[in-house]
Every structure is written in structure tokens, then in C-alpha cells.
Amino acid sequence: MAGGHTPGSSERCDECKQRRKKCDLQAPQCGRCRRGGRQCSGPKSKTLFVHRQTGSFPSTTQRQILIEAYRDRSADTATQVRLTPEQFYEATTQHIDGLRAILAGYEWHSSLTKDSVALSTNQALLTTTYAALLSEFDPARTVGIFSADRVDTPSAMHYSNVAKVVRSLLPLIPLASPMLNRSIFSLLALYYGLLHGCPELAELARSSYTAVLGLYSRHLGTVMLKTEDEGSTSKADIFMYTSFALQAFEHVNEADVYGSGHLAHIDGALSFLQKLGPNAMRNSPSMRTAFSGFRGIVAFVSINRRQPSFLADFEWLQMPYMDSEKTTRDCLNDLGLEVPGHLAVVDQLLKSARSDQLPPKSVVDQCLKQLMDIASLRRRLENWYYALEVSTPGALFWCQTDPVIKSANCQDSECTPEYSNNFHQLAFSSGPIAGLLVQYWSFQLELLMAAIDLQEAVLRFDGQQAASSAVQQATAPGLRRDRTKANEVAQLILQGEPRVGSCLEGFLSLLPPLRSASRYFERRRAARSIEAGRAKNEREDVGHTRDTPSPKLELVQFKGLRGE
């Protein structure tokens, strides 16, 4: 079972759970504790989600559950400090798959209050549950649901894309829009249900999402695309907020898979957003914040599709923020939204090169121009990184074996990584910083892979004399540097796995960048396979020619003997 869990792990007594032993679930004392002479707290009964009052929610979040999941994981590779990049990738993705399975299977014991009554759709019950959820997500609380709330350093307050959407929606509750409130309820209930391992709450969230999606679709055509009353929230704004909430729900529900339904809903939201125009995002701080979080989701979806969106246009990058200062993540999302456009151009150039649609010289020239454009975007990404470095006290990240820098770590009691394997040596100043850097590295890796493809295409035209010797000499070293850099960046993403994945918010943020790393290692694997096949064919050809040399080869050998 993923994560080293045993059957009934959520019902084990505390003593067996702490000792990571299988519990026979006997009451009032389990057999293992009885035989060992230990006092036993007894097995835990399964939890049903029913809340009759707001106070039944725990006062703090349960991100410690994820930490326990890391601690319980099998560490068979713990002694393998020196791993090849492929081994590193395989070991890390196994850990990710284990955490993903835990999320999908609700294998964590819920900390929610027990109740013997089954879940009900009673409106009063739903109302109190909604109030309890709102209280848990309230940013004003000393200990909030998001990791950045627990970091007391202002320079580390970098909220994730999902967190930005949630934060923007909470002040809208007084609008009393049934459709909007239902969409907010769906998002919060799903997040909380996954965080606490409560399948009943998560299923209730999905049912609520289905209902609000149908309501949204039925009434979308009747929406007026302008404000009815000056100073009021327009019907179009309500629908846009609802759309943002639904997209965030789907991102939390399917962060590691972009299904056809999710992509269709993304396209629908983008179409509606385009009709509203960029100025509509300035209607209120909440609209601008929700839009900011949505942009981050779209950036990764567009990269996965390798297709640009209109959000990368100048007016959409600038106009929504004319009255406010962009956050560090906003600036990073600006750059990330430009990445898919470059990937689309590279794909088209490579397609032209393979199909001989353009003369080789023209393909080489266009490849060189695109390489310059990619290099320019990479420099801007590096400038973003330097700005983050300057604005953050201490080091952003370091090798945890360094005794000097290690003391600079910003501790978070509820979001602490478990470095269960020795090859995960990277430490970060805080969780929010780790999330930012993993996203930054994923954008860099996508651009590096595109640059590698272009440089390889230029070098392939060497035999056709489409590129001058000077171009060839400049391209080959650049290709070697980019291959080395891509390998380094891909492993940095994997190194961030324990820190970013130690909380649910971080785990959701890690999955899209992990997709970029997966693409990189799949490319490496395919390239190695091709090289191995080519070497095998060459060996077979050599063996064959030694036995029965071809006439052409005999002629060459004869000329060689004559000194020709």
C-alpha cells in the first residue's frame, strides 16, 4: 500500500500508530499492546462528517497529517546518496505517487469531531458547515489554513495561485449570491476534505460543484456584460467570480491531470473573461486578486498545451494592475504566460524542418532568431530571481548539509519537511519561497528544453551546409551548456519535493512543475534509447561487414592500401 500504510491504519490505536505497527483493532485493548504490557488507548472508530455548530471544527489545521505521511513512507533508497538523474527522478516520483494515492484514498485518519448521525443535506446543517469552513479559512486568524499565514517574515508572504483565489472570494459572502456562495462552498469543502482525509466532505463538495456548474451554464447566456448600477457588483462580475471559484475547484481536484472537461471549462472561462475585457479586472481588489490566481493556473495549462493565451498580451499583463503594485508571484506569472508562445513557435519550426516546408537556410535563420528570443525571456526570469533574492533576508535555498546556512531556516511547526531520503539535500528558507522557486524552475526548464530542440535542429543541417561553420561552432557549446543546465534545473525541482510537498497547498503547487520535470526525463530516456539502438545497429553492421564485406567497403579498403 502506498506510503507504508497498513489496513485499518486510520483506526489503529495511538500506540501502534506511533510505533508504525499493524493493529488488530481489538477493544478495549489491542492484542499487540496487551502482549507487550503497554497501556492501550484502544482502536479509533471511523469518522463521519457531521457538524452541528461552527465550534466543532478544530482550532488549527492538520497539515501534520502530510508530515506523518512522509514519515511513514518506505525509505528503501535512503542509503543511495549518489543516484543518477534517472534514479533520482524515479525515486522522487514514487514518493509523489504515494502521496497522490493517500489523497485519492483518504487514508489519513480525520481529525474532525465524531458524530453517530449520517451526513445529511439538511439546509441548516449545510449552513452551519459553511460557516465553519469560512471560519477555518479566515485570513485574520492567528493560525490560518495556508502556510504563508504562519510565516512571520513579510518577505515570505507569497500566496499560491489557489490561495489567492480563495482569499479573493471570502469577502464576497455578504453579496448573498446563491450561485457564488455555492461555488465558494464547493471549493472550501473540497480543500478541507482533502486536507483532513474526510471523504464525506469531499464528496459533498463534488456534488455541490456539479449543481453550481449546471446553474452557471444555464444562466450564462443571459448575463449582461456591463455594470447595471454604478458602484454595485454587476451580474457579469458575479459570474466571473463563480468561474474563478470553479476553475480553482477543478485545479484542486485534478491538479495532476488536465482532463478534457477541465480544459473545456478553462476555455469557457477565458472566453467569458475576454468579453469582459482587462479593465473589468480593476473593478475591485477582490476581482484583481482572483484574476491573479487564475492567471497562474492558466500559465501551467497553456504550457501543457503548448499554446499561448490572450492573457500574455500586453494589455492583459498591464491594465488590470494599473492601480496597484504587482506581487512577486504576479511578476512570475507574467513571465510564465509568455512561455507557451515560445513553445508553440518552436513546435512549428521543428515541424517545418521535418517536412521540408522551408529551405534549410530559412529554417536555420528562424531557429537562431527564436533562440535569441528564448534567451531574452530566460534573462528576464533570472532578473526576477535576483529581485527575489535581494528582497529576502538570508539565503533562498541551500544544501541542508551546510552547517552555516542551515540556521537561517524559517521554521513552520505545521509545515515541516521530512527529508526521509539522503539524496534530498535541498533546504529552503520557507514553504512559500520553495513554492515560488519550483514554479520558477519549471518555466526555466521548459525554455531550456525548447532551446535544446532548436540547437539540435541547427546542428542537424550541418551536412546540408545550411549553417556556416561559425554558427556551428557557436551552437555546439551552447547546446552542451543548456543540456547541463536543464539537468541541473530538473533536479532542483525534484529536490524541492520534500519541502513543497509537506503541506497540501504545496503539494498541489508541486504537481504542475513536476509535469515539466517528467517531460524532461522522458526526453532523456527516449534520447538514450535512440542512441543505444543506433550503437547496436553500428555494432551489428561492423560485425556483418567483417564476415562479408560489401563491394563498396572493399573498394575503400583497397584505396586505403594504395594510399589514395
Side-chain angles (χ1 to χ4, degrees):
M1 182 173 291
H5 286 267
T6 57
S9 60
S10 64
E11 302 171 51
R12 286 180 292 177
C13 68
D14 293 338
E15 291 71 26
C16 286
K17 196 170 186 178
Q18 291 174 1
R19 297 174 67 241
R20 306 178 194 169
K21 300 294 185 181
K22 183 175 181 179
C23 183
D24 59 14
L25 307 181
Q26 292 184 17
Q29 287 188 321
C30 75
R32 187 180 294 276
C33 288
R34 190 169 57 252
R35 290 190 298 272
R38 290 181 293 275
Q39 184 176 3
C40 182
S41 60
K44 305 293 186 296
S45 60
K46 291 184 178 180
T47 301
L48 293 176
F49 177 80
V50 173
H51 288 288
R52 299 190 178 281
Q53 54 186 354
T54 303
S56 63
F57 271 70
S59 59
T60 60
T61 58
Q62 300 298 317
R63 210 171 259 113
Q64 189 68 29
I65 298 170
L66 264 172
I67 300 172
E68 292 175 2
Y70 264 92
R71 189 177 294 118
D72 289 344
R73 292 181 307 175
S74 173
D76 296 335
T77 56
T79 59
Q80 301 179 12
V81 180
R82 295 184 180 276
L83 299 178
T84 66
E86 282 73 15
Q87 290 173 325
F88 191 7
Y89 169 70
E90 294 293 342
T92 303
T93 51
Q94 284 179 10
H95 298 165
I96 292 293
D97 290 341
L99 291 178
R100 186 185 286 113
I102 292 170
L103 275 176
Y106 303 103
E107 294 177 13
W108 304 326
H109 176 65
S110 174
S111 64
L112 303 178
T113 304
K114 299 177 183 179
D115 197 302
S116 60
V117 183
L119 182 65
S120 169
T121 58
N122 179 273
Q123 186 60 43
L125 181 61
L126 290 175
T127 300
T128 55
T129 300
Y130 189 25
L133 285 169
L134 292 176
S135 175
E136 283 294 302
F137 282 88
D138 185 1
R141 295 185 54 172
T142 304
V143 179
I145 205 82
F146 296 118
S147 61
D149 293 323
R150 298 193 302 274
V151 178
D152 56 7
T153 306
S155 60
M157 305 292 263
H158 305 296
Y159 305 121
S160 73
N161 294 314
V162 171
K164 290 173 80 72
V165 173
V166 172
R167 287 171 168 276
S168 69
L169 297 173
L170 295 177
L172 305 175
I173 307 303
L175 295 178
S177 166
M179 181 178 66
L180 179 57
N181 276 324
R182 193 67 178 264
S183 66
I184 297 173
F185 172 81
S186 302
L187 174 58
L188 301 188
L190 177 67
Y191 192 105
Y192 199 87
L194 292 176
L195 179 64
H196 290 265
C198 183
E200 294 87 355
L201 183 56
E203 288 307 311
L204 178 61
R206 294 187 178 101
S207 298
S208 177
Y209 162 81
T210 302
V212 73
L213 184 62
L215 184 65
Y216 178 87
S217 301
R218 284 196 302 272
H219 295 283
L220 184 59
T222 65
V223 176
M224 298 295 294
L225 297 181
K226 61 180 181 179
T227 305
E228 287 87 349
D229 300 310
E230 189 68 27
S232 69
T233 302
S234 72
K235 199 173 185 179
D237 285 351
I238 294 294
F239 269 79
M240 197 67 251
Y241 281 126
T242 302
S243 181
F244 288 146
L246 295 177
Q247 300 310 315
F249 176 98
E250 295 200 36
H251 182 70
V252 172
N253 195 40
E254 298 183 272
D256 59 333
V257 178
Y258 293 140
S260 57
H262 187 186
L263 294 177
H265 295 160
I266 285 280
D267 289 338
L270 286 171
S271 177
F272 185 46
L273 184 62
Q274 193 169 25
K275 289 182 179 179
L276 286 178
N279 274 324
M281 301 302 103
R282 300 167 57 192
N283 287 350
S284 69
S286 290
M287 178 65 78
R288 185 164 45 243
T289 303
F291 171 69
S292 295
F294 177 69
R295 288 192 329 141
I297 296 173
V298 172
F300 281 112
V301 172
S302 299
I303 287 174
N304 188 65
R305 284 175 145 180
R306 303 179 74 86
Q307 296 176 1
S309 73
F310 65 86
L311 294 182
D313 296 345
F314 179 80
E315 60 177 356
W316 281 95
L317 292 174
Q318 300 300 327
M319 290 182 65
Y321 301 95
M322 289 182 63
D323 305 325
S324 66
E325 184 177 355
K326 289 184 178 180
T327 65
T328 302
R329 190 175 293 276
D330 288 333
C331 295
L332 180 59
N333 285 336
D334 282 352
L335 300 170
L337 286 166
E338 294 185 40
V339 173
H342 291 278
L343 302 183
V345 172
V346 171
D347 288 347
Q348 185 58 45
L349 281 174
L350 297 179
K351 181 180 178 181
S352 300
R354 288 191 297 267
S355 61
D356 296 328
Q357 294 177 353
L358 295 173
K361 180 66 167 63
S362 177
V363 173
V364 169
D365 290 343
Q366 292 187 43
C367 285
L368 293 175
K369 179 182 181 303
Q370 186 59 28
L371 277 170
M372 293 177 62
D373 293 341
I374 289 175
S376 175
L377 181 54
R378 284 186 58 201
R379 283 193 296 270
R380 290 162 59 200
L381 277 166
E382 290 167 358
N383 289 337
W384 173 90
Y385 174 83
Y386 296 144
L388 175 65
E389 196 172 35
V390 169
S391 63
T392 305
L396 296 177
F397 68 97
W398 59 91
C399 180
Q400 65 168 348
T401 57
D402 190 324
V404 178
I405 304 180
K406 190 175 181 180
S407 61
N409 190 17
C410 179
Q411 296 295 333
D412 181 346
S413 60
E414 293 191 21
C415 191
T416 304
E418 280 289 323
Y419 293 95
S420 56
N421 295 281
N422 294 336
F423 54 83
H424 281 117
Q425 297 293 326
L426 210 60
F428 296 84
S429 60
S430 69
I433 291 292
L436 268 180
L437 291 181
V438 169
Q439 183 173 337
Y440 159 74
W441 288 326
S442 69
F443 294 158
Q444 284 278 25
L445 183 58
E446 290 289 349
L447 293 174
L448 282 165
M449 287 189 287
I452 289 171
D453 287 341
L454 290 174
Q455 290 169 102
E456 289 177 343
V458 170
L459 292 175
R460 277 197 298 270
F461 283 109
D462 183 26
Q464 303 180 38
Q465 297 182 348
S468 66
S469 59
V471 170
Q472 297 288 328
Q473 291 174 5
T475 303
L479 177 58
R480 288 193 293 270
R481 285 194 302 269
D482 286 349
R483 282 174 172 168
T484 301
K485 183 66 175 177
N487 188 58
E488 173 190 331
V489 172
Q491 292 190 74
L492 284 172
I493 294 174
L494 300 182
Q495 287 275 24
E497 179 251 339
R499 186 59 164 109
V500 183
S502 64
C503 58
L504 179 60
E505 180 187 358
F507 180 66
L508 296 172
S509 301
L510 175 64
L511 293 177
L514 186 67
R515 200 179 289 110
S516 297
S518 297
R519 275 195 290 268
Y520 171 74
F521 283 103
E522 288 300 325
R523 286 160 52 101
R524 276 180 60 110
R525 218 177 336 235
R528 298 259 175 115
S529 177
I530 292 173
E531 289 176 4
R534 187 177 297 147
K536 180 181 178 181
N537 291 336
E538 289 176 354
R539 288 194 300 269
E540 291 176 350
D541 290 342
V542 170
H544 176 70
T545 54
R546 284 176 179 170
D547 296 334
T548 56
S550 65
K552 183 177 181 181
L553 183 58
E554 287 180 333
L555 179 60
V556 172
Q557 292 171 338
F558 180 72
K559 288 183 177 180
L561 290 173
R562 290 168 53 190
E564 298 178 6

